[in-house]
């Protein structure tokens, strides 16, 4: 208390000193301005020229300027109007830390004559800083034995602002156990304490999370927050407690040493050493139990220590204590009843008495593969044995006699997929726990001829150039057979057929062993351009299997035929009028090449026999038309012998030549023009196109006759159906006398979903309807089935 008073007196003396210093400064200074901190650039401070009594018109000429003690120039004077304004933003907490007043002294100097003035600018504090705690989390450890009313000091927050802008209040989050207490000295909070309102209980709540907030008195009010974590320290006030006071468990009679029998679990609500639990046998435990079992004092596990025998002792009663490690130890108790269980300790014995291997892959389901005998020395349910295959396989175990089982085929076998199986047979008794014995049998699968030879592709194409040498190799047929042994030996052959009446074996042959295909003859594209053959691959199985390969053989053309002029276009004599104009068609030649494609493309040209290009004729390279290149002159010959060359585009190039004799006659003479070209064209038309025209006429006639017959038949069928409908309607009208028919009302039968005002419903009492046989035969939109005898019912629409 004495120290607090002394501190108070010292603070009071310091405040008086600062006030006196400020008053002295004010007296010494000629001007005193006040502005708030954080003022922006250009903020008005005062009319310094006017306040100092200076003429505004002279401050510029007398070079008025400001000198500050600090390196930074926070203020500046406008020499036009003599106003002092803020040049740079001022932070009071940076400029004047830890001082109640912040004054910036300025020296105002003017020249001519030199005068100096003292000006003080006071920086007024604003609330621009929030309260801040030194740490975001404060950790406290308080014993649960602390009495109510206990106090715990806390660190206060800091705020660089002054006066009411500094910290004025603290608030604590709502708590049933804690409250906040603080005192103010000269309107400032210097001490802060956390007060315990009531006793703590760690077992109910071990940690308390509180929130402490500091507020300043500025406008707007700012705040800062820290978190207080109170950890409750434990006291040994709880004894260990078992889950239940009595436990039952069992153990097999042949349990090995160290086998876990039971695991105790005691809990202590205390923590630390007060919650550490040690387990031990009670003094009341018998010596037999201590010899048979052991107890781990740390984990509470009871394990087998000695040999257990159900026939000697079938039950043990064990008392266990749980002791904590507190200064004042507390004890918990429980009892355990251990029952010794008689077990199945003899596994089955399994013997394979018969094994028939290998198994053919085409064995039918149910084929017996092996006989297995099983024996178990135990009795009762422990001696009853079941035998099964542990993994999926195409085999199955079936009970045969009392202790015998048979292994049979239970699914399809395929040697090409899997040629050997390892079948694991397991014999398991019905004991608890059951015992089992396993035996693995290796079963080989023998091959059967169940796969035909396979070609890589069923259809292939061969291209052979004509004039090939006889006996040349043109193709190799290759088939594979996944079978083994003789079932996989493949022989190749050609299926017999004829090509243009000639056996195909006269054209090609195949090596039966390696499938090589040879051409027996030299092919001529002009005689045969394409034929097809089938190569057959057959295996050597007892029931031979085969497959076919279709070969499409194309004979490729080579340039082995020269163009040939037709008789009508070779060695002819033509008469030409001497008055003919340039471009006049004299005649046309035509050559035929038996080759095809590019090899048959014919090119025409005139052979110049020393004429030096003076011939008045020219020939079209593509069509063979000979025309007059220029008009005849008196110097021209009366007769010209033109040598026309026909040349193909093959490799090598082949040509043929013919001669055309052209006689030049006067225009007044009658031209005995040989119209062999015209005749040729007529012949070509009659030979090539007449047959096409006749065929088109015949096809058109047949189509027209067919259409007429079809129309007549349909019309006759329509009349029969209408007559049949009328007959059936008469029968229906006579049979159902209560139904009436009005000749003045039309009724329609509609097969779609849009019903007219009245519907005619069709019944088929003796036959099933077939929607696909419906036909429209009534022009009044009546849809009938011509396959049925109909009963017609007239219903009015709802």
């Amino acid at each position: 208390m004495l120290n607090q008073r002394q501190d108070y007196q010292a603070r009071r003396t310091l405040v008086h000193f600062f006030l006196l210093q400020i008053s002295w400064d004010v007296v010494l200074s000629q001007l005193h301005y006040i502005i708030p901190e954080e003022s922006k650039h250009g903020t008005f401070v005062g009319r310094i020229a006017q306040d100092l009594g200076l003429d505004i018109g002279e401050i510029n000429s007398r070079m008025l300027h400001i000198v500050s003690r600090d390196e930074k120039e926070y203020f500046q004077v406008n020499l036009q109007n003599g106003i002092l304004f803020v040049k740079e933003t001022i932070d009071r907490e940076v400029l004047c830390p830890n001082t109640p007043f912040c004054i910036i002294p300025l020296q105002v100097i003017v020249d001519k004559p030199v005068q100096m003035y003292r000006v003080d600018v006071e920086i007024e504090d604003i609330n621009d800083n929030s309260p801040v705690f030194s740490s975001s989390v404060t950790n406290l450890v308080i014993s649960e034995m602390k009495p109510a009313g206990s106090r715990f000091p806390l660190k206060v927050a800091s705020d660089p602002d002054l006066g009411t802008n500094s910290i004025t209040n603290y608030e604590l989050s709502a708590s049933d156990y804690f409250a906040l207490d603080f005192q103010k000295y000269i309107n400032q909070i210097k001490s802060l304490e956390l007060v315990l309102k009531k006793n703590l209980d760690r077992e109910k709540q071990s940690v308390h999370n509180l929130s402490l907030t500091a507020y300043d008195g500025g406008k707007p009010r700012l705040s800062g927050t820290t978190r207080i974590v109170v950890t409750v320290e434990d006291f040994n006030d709880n004894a260990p407690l078992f889950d239940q006071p009595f436990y039952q468990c069992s153990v097999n009679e042949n349990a090995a040493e160290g086998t876990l029998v039971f695991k105790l679990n005691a809990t202590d609500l205390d923590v630390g050493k007060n919650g550490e639990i040690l387990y031990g046998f009670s003094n009341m435990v018998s010596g037999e139990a201590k010899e048979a079992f052991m107890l781990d004092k740390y984990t509470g596990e009871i394990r087998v220590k000695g040999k257990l025998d159900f026939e000697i002792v079938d039950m043990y009663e064990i008392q266990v204590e749980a002791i904590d490690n507190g200064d004042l130890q507390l004890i918990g108790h429980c009892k355990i009843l251990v029952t010794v269980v008689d077990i199945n300790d003899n596994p089955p014995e399994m013997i394979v008495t018969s094994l028939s291997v290998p198994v053919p892959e085409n064995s039918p389901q149910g084929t017996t593969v092996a006989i297995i005998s099983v024996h178990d020395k135990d009795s009762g349910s422990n001696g009853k044995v079941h035998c099964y295959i542990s993994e999926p396989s195409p085999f199955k175990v079936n009970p045969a006699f009392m202790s015998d089982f048979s292994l049979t085929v239970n699914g399809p076998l395929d040697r090409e997929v899997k040629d050997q199986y390892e079948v694991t047979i397991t014999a398991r008794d019905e004991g608890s726990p059951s015992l089992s014995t396993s035996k693995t049998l290796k079963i080989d699968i023998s091959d059967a001829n169940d796969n035909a030879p396979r070609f890589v592709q069923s259809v292939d194409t061969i291209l052979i150039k004509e004039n090939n040498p006889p006996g040349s190799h043109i193709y190799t047929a290759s088939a594979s057979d996944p079978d083994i042994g003789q079932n996989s030996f493949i022989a190749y052959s050609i299926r017999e057929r004829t090509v243009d009446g000639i056996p195909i074996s006269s054209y090609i042959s195949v090596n039966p062993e390696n499938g090589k295909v040879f051409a027996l003859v030299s092919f001529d594209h002009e005689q045969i351009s394409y034929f097809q053959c089938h190569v057959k691959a057959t295996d050597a199985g007892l029931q031979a299997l085969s497959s076919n390969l279709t070969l499409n053989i194309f004979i490729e053309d080579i340039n082995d035929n020269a163009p040939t002029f037709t008789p009508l276009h070779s060695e002819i004599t033509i008469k030409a009028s001497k008055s003919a104009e340039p471009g006049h068609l004299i005649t046309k030649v035509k050559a035929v090449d038996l080759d095809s494609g590019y090899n048959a493309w014919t090119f025409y040209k005139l052979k110049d026999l020393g004429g030096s290009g003076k011939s008045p004729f020219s020939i079209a390279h593509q069509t063979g038309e000979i025309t007059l290149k220029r008009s005849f002159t008196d110097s021209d010959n009366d007769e010209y012998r033109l040598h026309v060359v026909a040349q193909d585009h093959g490799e090598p190039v082949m040509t043929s030549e013919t001669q055309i004799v052209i006689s030049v006659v006067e225009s007044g003479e009658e031209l005995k023009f040989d119209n062999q070209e015209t005749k040729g064209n007529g012949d070509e038309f009659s030979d090539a196109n007449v047959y096409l025209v006749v065929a088109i006429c015949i096809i058109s006639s047949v189509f027209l006759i067919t259409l007429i017959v079809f129309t007549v038949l349909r019309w006759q069928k329509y009349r029969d159906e209408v007559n049949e409908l009328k007959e059936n309607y008469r029968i229906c009208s006579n049979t159902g006398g209560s139904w009436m028919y009005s000749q003045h009302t039309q009724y329609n039968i509609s097969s779609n979903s849009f019903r007219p005002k009245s519907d005619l419903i069709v019944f088929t009492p003796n036959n099933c309807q077939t929607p696909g046989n419906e036909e429209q035969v009534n022009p009044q939109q009546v849809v009938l089935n011509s396959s049925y005898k109909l009963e017609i019912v007239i219903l009015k629409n709802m």
Side-chain angles (χ1 to χ4, degrees):
M1 190 67 179
L2 181 60
N3 293 333
Q4 292 180 354
R5 289 181 178 177
Q6 292 176 352
D7 184 56
Y8 176 74
Q9 292 294 338
R11 292 176 180 272
R12 185 175 181 181
T13 303
L14 182 61
V15 170
H16 287 167
F17 175 76
F18 278 118
L19 292 176
L20 182 60
Q21 180 69 31
I22 292 172
S23 300
W24 182 254
D25 290 339
V26 172
V27 172
L28 292 179
S29 63
Q30 293 175 314
L31 290 178
H32 186 86
Y33 297 113
I34 301 175
I35 62 169
E37 65 172 325
E38 304 295 341
S39 296
K40 304 296 184 182
H41 174 78
T43 302
F44 173 81
V45 177
R47 301 182 182 276
I48 190 170
Q50 181 179 351
D51 293 341
L52 292 175
L54 300 175
D55 188 0
I56 297 177
E58 297 179 355
I59 61 175
N60 192 9
S61 60
R62 295 185 63 184
M63 300 176 62
L64 184 145
H65 59 279
I66 296 175
V67 178
S68 176
R69 295 178 184 177
D70 298 330
E71 295 180 357
K72 294 184 178 180
E73 294 182 1
Y74 293 103
F75 303 97
Q76 189 174 356
V77 177
N78 189 334
L79 299 180
Q80 302 298 326
N81 53 22
I83 293 176
L84 181 67
F85 61 91
V86 176
K87 180 180 180 182
E88 186 173 348
T89 304
I90 303 172
D91 188 351
R92 192 200 65 80
E93 287 75 26
V94 175
L95 184 62
C96 306
N98 302 322
T99 57
F101 298 97
C102 184
I103 296 176
I104 300 177
L106 302 175
Q107 289 181 350
V108 180
I109 301 173
V110 292
D111 298 333
K112 299 178 182 180
V114 176
Q115 290 180 331
M116 183 176 66
Y117 302 92
R118 169 73 180 272
V119 178
D120 291 339
V121 181
E122 182 181 346
I123 308 302
E124 188 179 22
D125 182 52
I126 64 172
N127 191 24
D128 58 343
N129 292 281
S130 300
V132 178
F133 287 93
S134 59
S135 63
S136 60
V137 178
T138 302
N139 294 301
L140 296 178
V141 179
I142 303 175
S143 173
E144 65 179 330
M145 297 304 294
K146 284 285 185 179
S150 299
R151 292 174 174 267
F152 308 94
L154 300 174
K155 290 184 179 181
V156 296
S158 61
D159 191 332
D161 295 327
L162 298 176
T164 58
N165 293 332
S166 184
I167 298 172
T168 59
N169 191 23
Y170 288 91
E171 290 183 4
L172 185 69
S173 60
S175 173
D176 296 334
Y177 292 91
F178 297 95
L180 190 65
D181 185 26
F182 55 87
Q183 296 180 357
K184 292 184 178 181
Y185 300 95
I186 316 177
N187 294 327
Q188 292 187 356
I189 300 173
K190 297 298 182 181
S191 65
L192 193 63
E193 292 180 328
L194 189 66
V195 182
L196 184 63
K197 293 168 34 176
K198 62 179 182 179
N199 293 338
L200 299 173
D201 189 349
R202 192 205 62 79
E203 286 72 34
K204 290 183 179 179
Q205 187 173 354
S206 61
V207 178
H208 297 264
N209 289 296
L210 306 175
S211 178
L212 177 62
T213 305
Y215 295 95
D216 61 19
K219 292 183 180 181
R221 190 173 69 164
L222 303 177
S223 64
T225 304
T226 185
R227 190 162 58 94
I228 302 175
V229 179
V230 180
T231 303
V232 182
E233 189 177 24
D234 183 55
F235 179 77
N236 191 23
D237 56 349
N238 294 280
L241 182 64
F242 287 96
D243 296 339
Q244 58 191 53
F246 179 75
Y247 298 95
Q248 285 184 325
C249 62
S250 60
V251 62
N252 296 330
E253 62 173 326
N254 66 342
E257 183 178 352
T259 301
L260 179 65
V261 178
F262 193 77
K263 187 179 187 303
L264 295 169
N265 184 25
T267 57
D268 194 324
L269 297 179
D270 298 322
V271 294
K273 69 176 184 177
N274 298 327
E276 296 176 357
I277 298 175
L278 299 177
Y279 300 91
F281 288 131
S282 173
N283 294 330
M284 295 182 293
V285 176
S286 64
E288 294 177 348
K290 290 182 179 180
E291 292 180 358
F293 302 99
M294 58 182 176
L295 174 62
D296 191 312
K297 65 179 181 178
Y298 297 107
T299 63
E301 294 178 346
I302 299 176
R303 297 183 178 273
V304 175
K305 179 181 179 182
K307 183 174 177 59
L308 301 179
D309 192 345
F310 175 80
E311 287 71 27
I312 298 176
V313 180
D314 60 353
M315 185 178 296
Y316 293 91
E317 184 176 322
I318 305 173
Q319 291 80 18
V320 177
E321 296 177 346
I323 307 171
D324 64 20
N325 198 25
D327 296 334
L328 180 62
Q329 292 184 333
L330 301 178
I331 303 175
H333 302 274
C334 76
K335 182 186 292 185
I336 304 169
L337 188 64
V338 182
T339 303
V340 180
V341 180
D342 187 21
I343 65 164
N344 177 31
D345 53 355
N346 290 288
E349 297 177 357
M350 182 167 46
I351 301 174
V352 179
T353 59
S354 177
L355 180 61
S356 178
V357 290
V359 179
E361 63 176 328
N362 58 354
S363 297
Q365 187 171 348
T367 301
T368 300
V369 178
I371 301 296
I372 304 163
S373 295
V374 181
H375 177 68
D376 196 319
K377 296 178 181 179
D378 296 323
S379 59
S381 61
N382 293 333
K384 293 182 180 179
V385 180
H386 298 282
C387 203
Y388 60 91
I389 297 175
S390 58
E391 297 180 355
S393 70
F395 300 96
K396 181 181 180 181
V397 175
N398 300 309
F401 300 102
M402 293 184 61
S403 60
D404 293 334
F405 297 86
S406 62
L407 179 66
T408 60
V409 176
N410 190 44
L413 302 176
D414 191 346
R415 188 208 62 80
E416 288 71 35
V417 176
K418 192 171 184 179
D419 59 355
Q420 187 183 70
Y421 291 89
E422 290 189 356
V423 180
T424 301
I425 303 172
T426 302
R428 183 178 295 277
D429 59 27
E430 295 182 0
S432 180
S434 62
L435 298 178
S436 63
T437 300
S438 298
K439 183 178 285 294
T440 301
L441 302 180
K442 289 187 178 180
I443 302 176
D444 295 325
I445 308 301
S446 60
D447 184 52
N449 191 26
D450 56 347
N451 291 280
R454 299 176 184 174
F455 289 97
V456 177
Q457 52 188 11
S458 59
V459 179
D460 205 351
T461 300
I462 302 176
L463 301 177
I464 305 174
K465 291 186 180 295
E466 65 175 330
N467 300 333
N468 60 292
S472 59
H473 173 230
I474 60 174
Y475 186 78
T476 299
S478 178
S480 61
D481 194 325
D483 294 326
I484 59 175
Q486 67 177 14
N487 296 330
S488 65
F489 296 155
I490 300 175
Y492 300 91
S493 61
I494 299 292
R495 290 181 55 185
E496 284 298 334
R497 56 170 299 190
T498 60
V499 178
D500 295 336
I502 301 174
I504 198 170
S505 57
S506 300
Y507 290 104
I508 61 173
S509 66
V510 62
N511 189 316
E513 295 181 358
N514 53 28
K516 289 186 176 182
V517 180
F518 299 93
L520 300 180
V521 297
S522 179
F523 292 103
D524 188 352
H525 173 80
E526 288 72 34
Q527 294 181 359
I528 180 171
S529 61
Y530 164 80
F531 65 94
Q532 191 179 76
C533 75
H534 301 280
V535 178
K536 182 178 181 181
T538 307
D539 61 24
L542 294 179
Q543 294 182 350
L545 301 177
S546 62
S547 62
N548 293 322
L549 169 65
T550 300
L551 294 179
N552 294 311
I553 301 176
F554 293 88
I555 309 302
E556 290 185 303
D557 180 56
I558 64 174
N559 194 24
D560 58 346
N561 291 281
T564 303
F565 287 95
T566 60
L568 295 177
H569 299 84
S570 62
E571 301 295 338
I572 59 175
T573 300
I574 303 296
K575 293 182 179 181
S577 173
K578 195 170 184 179
S579 62
E581 298 294 332
H584 175 71
L585 177 63
I586 303 301
T587 187
K588 180 179 180 180
V589 295
K590 183 177 182 181
V592 178
D593 195 324
L594 297 180
D595 294 323
S596 60
Y598 204 67
N599 296 328
W601 185 15
T602 305
F603 174 83
Y604 301 95
K605 63 180 179 178
L606 294 177
K607 187 176 181 182
D608 190 3
L609 299 177
S612 301
K614 296 181 179 180
S615 173
F617 305 100
S618 64
I619 188 170
H621 299 306
Q622 306 297 333
T623 61
E625 293 179 349
I626 299 176
T627 57
L628 187 62
K629 184 169 58 174
R630 59 177 175 80
S631 300
F632 290 110
T633 62
D634 294 338
S635 61
D636 287 332
N637 300 328
D638 294 335
E639 182 180 274
Y640 289 90
R641 293 183 179 272
L642 302 182
H643 294 268
V644 181
V645 178
Q647 174 182 315
D648 61 22
H649 287 72
E651 287 291 339
V653 174
M654 302 190 76
T655 60
S656 62
E657 185 178 335
T658 187
Q659 179 177 280
I660 305 295
V661 179
I662 300 177
S663 297
V664 181
V665 298
E666 296 295 333
S667 58
E669 298 181 10
E670 182 182 357
L671 297 179
K672 297 180 180 181
F673 184 74
D674 189 359
N675 290 327
Q676 294 181 5
E677 179 67 23
T678 305
K679 294 179 180 179
N681 292 337
D683 294 339
E684 289 180 2
F685 176 79
S686 60
D687 292 340
N689 298 330
V690 171
Y691 295 108
L692 179 60
V693 173
V694 172
I696 293 175
C697 294
I698 294 173
I699 293 174
S700 301
S701 301
V702 172
F703 174 75
L704 183 61
I705 295 172
T706 304
L707 184 61
I708 294 172
V709 172
F710 177 77
T711 303
V712 172
L713 292 177
R714 293 295 296 169
W715 175 252
Q716 183 64 32
K717 187 176 182 180
Y718 159 72
R719 292 184 59 81
D720 293 342
E721 289 177 351
V722 172
N723 294 334
E724 186 178 1
L725 177 63
K726 292 179 180 179
E727 185 67 25
N728 290 335
Y729 177 72
R730 291 193 190 99
I731 296 173
C732 180
S733 300
N734 294 333
T735 302
S738 62
W739 296 346
M740 299 183 64
Y741 178 80
S742 177
Q743 296 179 353
H744 302 286
T745 306
Q746 281 190 339
Y747 296 90
N748 294 333
I749 296 176
S750 178
S751 62
N752 55 23
S753 60
F754 300 93
R755 295 180 177 271
K757 293 183 178 179
S758 298
D759 294 336
L760 184 59
I761 302 177
V762 181
F763 293 88
T764 58
N766 297 322
N767 297 304
C768 296
Q769 294 183 359
T770 306
N773 294 332
E774 293 181 353
E775 297 174 355
Q776 183 174 348
V777 299
N778 196 325
Q780 286 79 22
Q781 299 180 354
V782 178
V783 180
L784 300 176
N785 189 327
S786 62
S787 302
Y788 306 137
K789 291 185 177 181
L790 310 177
E791 291 184 5
I792 305 174
V793 181
I794 302 173
L795 297 179
K796 292 295 183 181
N797 191 15
M798 296 294 295

